[in-house]
Short mmCIF file of all heavy atoms in Angstrom, two decimals:
data_model
loop_
_atom_site.label_atom_id
_atom_site.label_comp_id
_atom_site.label_asym_id
_atom_site.label_seq_id
_atom_site.Cartn_x
_atom_site.Cartn_y
_atom_site.Cartn_z
N ASP B 226 -22.05 -69.10 11.52
CA ASP B 226 -22.23 -70.21 10.59
C ASP B 226 -22.50 -69.75 9.16
O ASP B 226 -22.65 -70.56 8.26
CB ASP B 226 -23.39 -71.11 11.06
CG ASP B 226 -22.98 -71.91 12.28
OD1 ASP B 226 -21.82 -72.34 12.32
OD2 ASP B 226 -23.80 -72.07 13.19
N ILE B 263 -4.71 -83.60 20.19
CA ILE B 263 -4.75 -82.25 19.61
C ILE B 263 -5.96 -82.15 18.66
O ILE B 263 -6.73 -81.19 18.72
CB ILE B 263 -3.44 -81.90 18.87
CG1 ILE B 263 -2.27 -81.83 19.88
CG2 ILE B 263 -3.56 -80.58 18.11
CD1 ILE B 263 -0.92 -81.53 19.26
N MET B 300 -7.26 -69.25 8.48
CA MET B 300 -7.78 -68.83 9.79
C MET B 300 -7.87 -69.99 10.79
O MET B 300 -7.98 -69.77 11.99
CB MET B 300 -9.13 -68.13 9.62
CG MET B 300 -9.02 -66.77 8.92
SD MET B 300 -7.94 -65.59 9.81
CE MET B 300 -6.36 -65.85 9.00
N CYS B 309 -3.10 -73.97 21.99
CA CYS B 309 -1.91 -73.85 22.84
C CYS B 309 -2.22 -73.05 24.09
O CYS B 309 -1.90 -73.47 25.21
CB CYS B 309 -0.76 -73.20 22.06
SG CYS B 309 0.62 -72.70 23.12
N MET B 312 -4.47 -75.13 26.49
CA MET B 312 -3.79 -76.28 27.10
C MET B 312 -2.81 -75.81 28.17
O MET B 312 -2.75 -76.37 29.26
CB MET B 312 -3.03 -77.09 26.04
CG MET B 312 -3.92 -77.88 25.10
SD MET B 312 -2.89 -78.70 23.83
CE MET B 312 -4.18 -79.29 22.71
N MET B 317 -1.41 -74.25 33.95
CA MET B 317 -1.04 -73.17 34.88
C MET B 317 -2.06 -73.04 35.99
O MET B 317 -1.72 -72.79 37.14
CB MET B 317 -0.87 -71.86 34.11
CG MET B 317 0.28 -71.92 33.11
SD MET B 317 0.66 -70.31 32.35
CE MET B 317 -0.76 -70.04 31.33
N ARG B 324 -14.25 -77.26 28.54
CA ARG B 324 -15.40 -77.54 27.68
C ARG B 324 -16.15 -78.79 28.13
O ARG B 324 -16.53 -79.63 27.33
CB ARG B 324 -14.96 -77.71 26.22
CG ARG B 324 -14.33 -76.46 25.62
CD ARG B 324 -13.70 -76.76 24.26
NE ARG B 324 -13.09 -75.57 23.68
CZ ARG B 324 -12.17 -75.59 22.71
NH1 ARG B 324 -11.76 -76.72 22.21
NH2 ARG B 324 -11.67 -74.47 22.24
N SER B 328 -9.40 -81.86 31.04
CA SER B 328 -8.38 -81.07 30.36
C SER B 328 -7.28 -82.00 29.84
O SER B 328 -7.21 -83.17 30.24
CB SER B 328 -7.82 -80.01 31.30
OG SER B 328 -7.42 -80.60 32.51
N ARG B 338 -2.12 -93.28 34.84
CA ARG B 338 -2.68 -94.00 35.99
C ARG B 338 -3.20 -95.37 35.56
O ARG B 338 -2.88 -96.38 36.17
CB ARG B 338 -3.80 -93.15 36.61
CG ARG B 338 -3.82 -93.16 38.13
CD ARG B 338 -4.86 -92.18 38.66
NE ARG B 338 -4.43 -90.79 38.66
CZ ARG B 338 -4.98 -89.81 37.94
NH1 ARG B 338 -6.03 -90.03 37.17
NH2 ARG B 338 -4.49 -88.59 38.02
N GLY B 358 0.76 -78.38 23.73
CA GLY B 358 0.55 -76.96 23.49
C GLY B 358 1.64 -76.39 22.60
O GLY B 358 1.36 -75.62 21.67
N VAL B 401 -1.60 -64.08 35.39
CA VAL B 401 -1.03 -64.94 36.43
C VAL B 401 -0.47 -64.08 37.58
O VAL B 401 -0.65 -64.38 38.76
CB VAL B 401 0.09 -65.83 35.83
CG1 VAL B 401 0.89 -66.54 36.92
CG2 VAL B 401 -0.51 -66.86 34.87
N GLY B 439 -5.06 -57.11 2.14
CA GLY B 439 -4.50 -55.82 1.70
C GLY B 439 -5.50 -54.74 2.07
O GLY B 439 -6.69 -54.89 1.76
N GLY B 480 -18.88 -71.42 39.84
CA GLY B 480 -18.02 -70.67 40.75
C GLY B 480 -16.54 -71.03 40.66
O GLY B 480 -15.76 -70.71 41.54
N LYS B 487 -9.56 -65.94 40.77
CA LYS B 487 -9.30 -65.03 39.65
C LYS B 487 -9.56 -63.58 40.04
O LYS B 487 -10.63 -63.24 40.52
CB LYS B 487 -10.18 -65.41 38.45
CG LYS B 487 -9.74 -66.73 37.84
CD LYS B 487 -9.82 -66.71 36.33
CE LYS B 487 -9.04 -67.89 35.79
NZ LYS B 487 -9.64 -68.49 34.63
N LEU B 491 -14.56 -57.85 37.65
CA LEU B 491 -15.75 -58.04 38.50
C LEU B 491 -15.35 -58.07 39.98
O LEU B 491 -15.99 -57.44 40.84
CB LEU B 491 -16.44 -59.35 38.11
CG LEU B 491 -17.76 -59.69 38.79
CD1 LEU B 491 -18.84 -58.66 38.46
CD2 LEU B 491 -18.23 -61.10 38.37
N ALA B 493 -12.51 -56.83 41.17
CA ALA B 493 -11.92 -55.53 41.50
C ALA B 493 -13.01 -54.51 41.84
O ALA B 493 -12.89 -53.77 42.82
CB ALA B 493 -11.07 -55.04 40.32
N ARG B 498 -16.07 -51.33 45.81
CA ARG B 498 -17.38 -50.85 46.26
C ARG B 498 -17.84 -51.45 47.59
O ARG B 498 -18.75 -50.93 48.22
CB ARG B 498 -18.44 -51.17 45.20
CG ARG B 498 -18.22 -50.43 43.89
CD ARG B 498 -19.21 -50.92 42.84
NE ARG B 498 -20.58 -50.60 43.20
CZ ARG B 498 -21.25 -49.55 42.75
NH1 ARG B 498 -20.67 -48.70 41.93
NH2 ARG B 498 -22.50 -49.33 43.12
N THR B 531 -23.04 -55.39 46.25
CA THR B 531 -22.19 -54.20 46.11
C THR B 531 -22.53 -53.44 44.82
O THR B 531 -22.02 -52.34 44.60
CB THR B 531 -20.70 -54.59 46.02
OG1 THR B 531 -20.57 -55.55 44.97
CG2 THR B 531 -20.18 -55.17 47.33
N LEU B 540 -20.78 -51.68 31.95
CA LEU B 540 -19.54 -51.54 31.17
C LEU B 540 -19.63 -52.36 29.88
O LEU B 540 -19.21 -51.91 28.81
CB LEU B 540 -18.34 -52.04 31.98
CG LEU B 540 -17.74 -51.12 33.04
CD1 LEU B 540 -16.68 -51.87 33.85
CD2 LEU B 540 -17.11 -49.89 32.37
N LEU B 565 -20.26 -58.26 11.51
CA LEU B 565 -19.47 -57.87 12.70
C LEU B 565 -20.36 -57.22 13.76
O LEU B 565 -20.11 -57.36 14.96
CB LEU B 565 -18.32 -56.95 12.29
CG LEU B 565 -17.18 -57.63 11.51
CD1 LEU B 565 -16.18 -56.61 10.98
CD2 LEU B 565 -16.46 -58.68 12.37
N THR B 566 -21.39 -56.51 13.31
CA THR B 566 -22.35 -55.94 14.27
C THR B 566 -23.07 -57.06 15.02
O THR B 566 -23.22 -57.02 16.24
CB THR B 566 -23.37 -55.05 13.53
OG1 THR B 566 -22.65 -54.03 12.83
CG2 THR B 566 -24.34 -54.40 14.51
#
Side-chain angles (χ1 to χ4, degrees):
Chain B
D226 287 323
I263 295 178
M300 291 301 93
C309 167
M312 288 177 190
M317 296 188 291
R324 297 170 180 161
S328 51
R338 220 174 280 117
V401 169
K487 290 219 165 143
L491 185 63
R498 295 173 65 97
T531 53
L540 281 173
L565 289 172
T566 302

